[in-house]
Amino acid sequence: GGVDSSVAALLLQRQGFRVFGIFMRNWDHREEGAPQCSTEHDLESARRACQTLGMELVEVDFVAQYWERVFQKFLAGVQTGATPNPDLACNRWVKFDLLLERALALGADALATGHYARLRESPGGTQLLKGRDHAKDQSYFLAQVPQAALERCLFPVGDLTKAETRRLAQQAGLHNAERRSSAGICFIGRRRFGDFLQQYIEPTPGKFLSVEGEVIGHHDGLELYTTGQRAKIAGFSQAWYVVGKEKADGTVWVAQGEHHPALYSSSASIHSPFWTTAEPPPPFAPRDASGLECDFKARYLQAPGRCTVRGPAGEPPAPSRLCLSGGAAGAQSLQ
């Protein structure tokens, strides 16, 4: 029902493809008791777009599968004190798995979406590339889509800017040309994260503890905070920011000022790397000391930074004493 997916369909039609729409229902707002039912608004928008484009619209329901494959795992991660991103899991286990499978069963040759990303064929397989509009690039959300799925996907708007997409929609008479883009986690939308989360978990209250070891306040739930977030601590001239969490006693470590050294890191340990091409790229080998030079993002809206990825050739860096499960004596200095 959004402008991006509508224009994706429009472009494929212009290229001579037979296109039909699929509306995927993953979340039932009615069961949640939400006053607004955004799903129904989205469905009506999808119907209008398909009518304008002369396409059939098929509705599919993956509410139960989404709950099992994505939401329950999201809650489990949150309850450990982590901050998982369910949109990545949704793309891997629902949209580019169950939805792709359903589309193929309905007779499609490929699944096209409105993601701002691009694909390129290479001897090593289908490569996932950033969208041309770097401000809207969504390759981050596709980083866990497996190679077999990418081979059956199309991203028609990946070579467009958002402004160009809206212009094409206006020219085609699509009602959603100026429709507001979706925001936030798919099942939360524009609601407050903390209010939503407390419907499903019992938060762990505790204290705000400065990196200098001083108790400066108390909070209602460790799970409601993530590293880098501004903490709600009143009575200070300078803001405090979350730099770590201790699940065992509910401590949220904070540092004052947005440029505090505790907010920055020069290294990190990662596990379970996922390669969209199924195999690591040639410059990277598990014990290659030179490593792989690349860009990284820890969050979607973060500006890309440069890094070197190395295999486990030696001992991993010691965890920060502020890292989750690192413990108060995990390291002598911040990493």
Side-chain angles (χ1 to χ4, degrees):
V3 63
D4 301 322
S5 57
S6 298
V7 170
L10 171 68
L11 293 174
L12 291 175
Q13 284 184 328
R14 290 179 176 179
Q15 293 175 41
F17 290 98
R18 288 190 300 110
V19 185
F20 64 90
I22 299 183
F23 181 83
M24 180 175 66
R25 188 187 299 272
N26 293 338
W27 192 260
D28 194 338
H29 291 275
R30 293 168 298 185
E31 288 188 6
E32 188 187 35
Q36 79 286 2
C37 191
S38 61
T39 303
E40 298 307 317
H41 291 305
D42 292 342
L43 176 57
E44 178 57 30
S45 181
R47 286 172 176 159
R48 290 183 63 186
C50 285
Q51 183 177 22
T52 300
L53 297 172
M55 300 189 322
E56 176 190 4
L57 179 66
V58 178
E59 296 179 45
V60 296
D61 189 318
F62 294 134
V63 171
Q65 296 93 326
Y66 185 92
W67 180 275
E68 179 182 353
R69 293 189 176 198
V70 179
F71 190 64
Q72 285 188 328
K73 294 179 179 179
F74 165 76
L75 289 180
V78 166
Q79 288 175 301
T80 68
T83 310
N85 188 322
D87 291 343
L88 274 77
C90 177
N91 281 332
R92 181 174 183 178
W93 301 113
V94 180
K95 184 172 290 184
F96 294 95
D97 185 356
L98 297 175
L99 180 63
L100 173 59
E101 183 180 291
R102 183 68 60 85
L104 298 178
L106 290 169
D109 297 306
L111 174 67
T113 72
H115 285 93
Y116 286 88
R118 295 173 296 149
L119 298 171
R120 181 173 64 192
E121 297 302 321
S122 73
T126 302
Q127 296 178 329
L128 175 64
L129 308 178
K130 295 178 181 179
R132 186 167 70 85
D133 187 341
H134 287 183
K136 291 292 182 180
D137 168 51
Q138 293 174 310
S139 58
Y140 175 95
F141 293 112
L142 303 171
Q144 294 186 4
V145 176
Q147 178 68 195
L150 292 177
E151 293 172 354
R152 305 301 294 268
C153 291
L154 297 170
F155 303 131
V157 301
D159 281 309
L160 301 178
T161 64
K162 185 74 174 190
E164 290 169 339
T165 298
R166 291 196 184 281
R167 193 176 307 118
L168 285 170
Q170 289 174 336
Q171 294 169 354
L174 286 163
H175 74 285
N176 52 17
E178 297 300 326
R179 188 182 181 191
R180 190 178 185 183
S181 298
S182 58
I185 296 172
C186 54
F187 49 78
I188 298 178
R190 299 182 184 276
R191 289 178 289 172
R192 292 173 62 88
F193 177 75
D195 294 343
F196 170 84
L197 199 58
Q198 290 181 77
Q199 297 178 59
Y200 296 94
I201 67 168
E202 187 68 36
T204 307
K207 57 183 178 293
F208 285 120
L209 191 64
S210 74
V211 293
E212 292 78 22
E214 179 184 357
V215 176
I216 58 169
H218 293 81
H219 61 81
D220 295 327
L222 170 144
E223 296 84 359
L224 310 181
Y225 292 90
T226 188
T227 301
Q229 177 182 348
R230 182 169 176 168
K232 299 175 182 178
I233 305 174
F236 294 90
S237 59
Q238 202 171 15
W240 291 85
Y241 295 87
V242 177
V243 297
K245 299 186 287 187
E246 194 67 55
K247 177 65 176 177
D249 61 3
T251 296
V252 173
W253 295 86
V254 291
Q256 195 170 29
E258 60 184 30
H259 299 297
H260 194 286
L263 285 164
Y264 296 86
S265 175
S266 60
S267 64
S269 294
I270 60 174
H271 64 84
S272 305
F274 182 89
W275 306 97
T276 58
T277 52
E279 296 292 337
F284 181 84
R287 297 189 179 276
D288 183 355
S290 62
L292 171 68
E293 297 288 336
C294 58
D295 289 345
F296 79 92
K297 274 188 176 184
R299 293 183 176 89
Y300 170 56
L301 295 177
Q302 181 180 23
R306 294 295 295 174
C307 72
T308 301
V309 180
R310 295 188 177 91
E315 292 297 319
S320 164
R321 66 186 178 90
L322 306 179
C323 286
L324 191 66
S325 302
Q332 297 301 311
S333 61
L334 298 177
Q335 297 298 309

